Amino acid sequence: MSRKKVIELSAAWFQRLNNPSEILREKMTLFWANHFVCENKNILYVQSYHNMLRKNALGNFRDFTKIVSKEPAMLAYLNNKQNKKKSPNENFARELMELFTLGQDQYTEHDIKESARSFTGYNHTYKGEFIFKEKQHDHNEKTFFGKSGNFNGDDIIDIILQKEQCARFISEKIYTYFVNENINKKHIDEMVAVFYKDYNIEKLMRFVLLSKWFYEDENIGTKIKSPIEFLVGINTVVPYKIEKTRQIILVQRLLGQILMNPPNVVGWKTGRNWIDSNTIVTRLRLPSVLLNNAEIAYSEIGDEETMITDFDKRKLRKNAFVKVSTDWNSFEENYKKNSNKELVHQIITSKINTGTKEMLERNQQLSKHDFVVQLMSLPEYQLC
């Protein structure tokens, strides 16, 4: 039952991404879900964690990190509730520094051990409320990054954030996610100068989005859209709704990114890792599947196999129609003043090669519906 509810919540998140009340907050929530990676099967803990990500997505990174460390889903995922004075568990302490704040090679094994000792006693109630078990906490002095004291988990996070490397690590991740996968050191230095002052995420994002370099040609059309960005992007042009929850998950699985189901603690590998021989074929075909009721082929493997109960399971390869309702009226209203030629530059942000340009010129006589589906089926549409 709980697993089914997690799948329903995942589908609800996808619908929310398609119809956001705050676009940047939703985009940042998706970003942090792949930074503070966590997975749990208890719907109460998953919902609490997901709501926490959205609430703090543009808040203070210091407070954010401390709250993450006390969430029941995270306490279970990285074994911190098994972290006790007599038997410290170093899993959370290691990932806190390597994945969440500093990056690789920025700490020693001694730092991990002292950090783990400081987080002893962290736990939660059955309902998911954080509790601190005094008897399980190591109250002896610890020495961490050259500082000594009877530290707890919050103290450790404060000490980590005193290092400028933390601001640099987060700035680089945000830069590669929102701007360009190739780091520009000058741009990163500017971001660090803003972020390190008070770790205010909203200030950092405001600085990035208002920077001239954010809109420079070298940063336009260079990134491969994540599967979720790709699906949401199609919806932005032609609003659609996948009617069945299991088919929302199926489409995400075919593209390689299922919300609330990260592959491991590192999260999804982005950039060129989104594309392989299977996913590129699916991407190029998906606009027709969603908007023109075309068939989609899939293989019954993976976690969602048991959810596809309507189809014959005797064969591995299957074909199916995805039940979708499409709002072409909104598309016609939004683009009524645009010709097919004008649509090209509104839908495609990356450079278009000569062969594709010639093909699009030959197809100007297509209906606007068919033409826009063709545009979103181009390799160039995979870039943002």
Side-chain angles (χ1 to χ4, degrees), residues 165-357:
Q165 169 60 25
C166 179
R168 184 168 297 280
F169 179 66
I170 300 301
S171 294
E172 289 181 351
K173 288 198 77 170
I174 286 177
Y175 189 86
T176 56
Y177 188 85
F178 286 93
V179 184
N180 197 317
E181 290 172 11
N182 297 314
I183 292 289
N184 181 312
K185 186 177 180 304
K186 182 174 179 295
H187 299 168
I188 296 297
D189 288 343
E190 292 172 5
M191 292 172 65
V192 171
V194 173
F195 195 45
Y196 185 56
K197 289 178 183 173
D198 55 9
Y199 284 100
N200 185 306
I201 300 167
E202 184 174 352
K203 281 185 184 175
L204 176 63
M205 293 310 300
R206 187 181 296 276
F207 173 78
V208 171
L209 299 176
L210 292 177
S211 294
K212 287 183 179 179
W213 44 257
F214 182 78
Y215 301 95
E216 290 176 348
D217 288 346
E218 66 180 25
N219 296 323
I220 303 296
T222 59
K223 292 171 64 266
I224 296 175
K225 296 174 182 173
S226 72
I228 298 301
E229 287 174 326
F230 176 62
L231 290 167
V232 172
I234 295 173
N235 179 76
T236 303
V237 179
V238 183
Y240 67 89
K241 182 179 180 182
I242 301 175
E243 299 292 345
K244 296 183 178 180
T245 297
R246 67 185 179 212
Q247 291 194 330
I248 294 175
I249 306 299
L250 169 64
V251 169
Q252 292 179 20
R253 177 162 67 84
L254 290 172
L255 294 172
Q257 185 183 26
I258 304 173
L259 293 173
M260 295 182 176
N261 189 11
N264 50 49
V265 69
V266 179
W268 292 287
K269 294 181 179 178
T270 59
R272 292 183 180 275
N273 294 291
W274 290 126
I275 300 289
D276 61 27
S277 57
N278 290 322
T279 58
I280 188 60
V281 172
T282 302
R283 279 176 175 246
L284 298 181
R285 186 163 168 70
L286 202 58
S288 290
V289 171
L290 296 175
L291 306 178
N292 278 348
N293 196 32
E295 271 191 318
I296 191 168
Y298 67 97
S299 176
E300 281 195 358
I301 56 175
D303 292 339
E304 283 62 46
E305 179 178 2
T306 54
M307 297 193 308
I308 308 170
T309 54
D310 286 354
F311 308 119
D312 185 353
K313 294 181 180 177
R314 287 175 298 178
K315 298 178 181 177
L316 287 178
R317 296 295 301 178
K318 302 292 180 185
N319 293 316
F321 290 100
V322 178
K323 189 174 175 56
V324 179
S325 57
T326 311
D327 182 6
W328 280 107
N329 290 334
S330 290
F331 167 75
E332 289 169 0
E333 178 63 24
N334 292 337
Y335 295 95
K336 61 184 177 184
K337 295 181 180 178
N338 301 115
S339 65
N340 282 355
K341 192 169 186 177
E342 290 169 330
L343 278 179
V344 174
H345 300 292
Q346 293 203 344
I347 306 299
I348 308 291
T349 58
S350 61
K351 292 182 180 177
I352 302 175
N353 71 48
T354 303
T356 302
K357 279 183 182 176

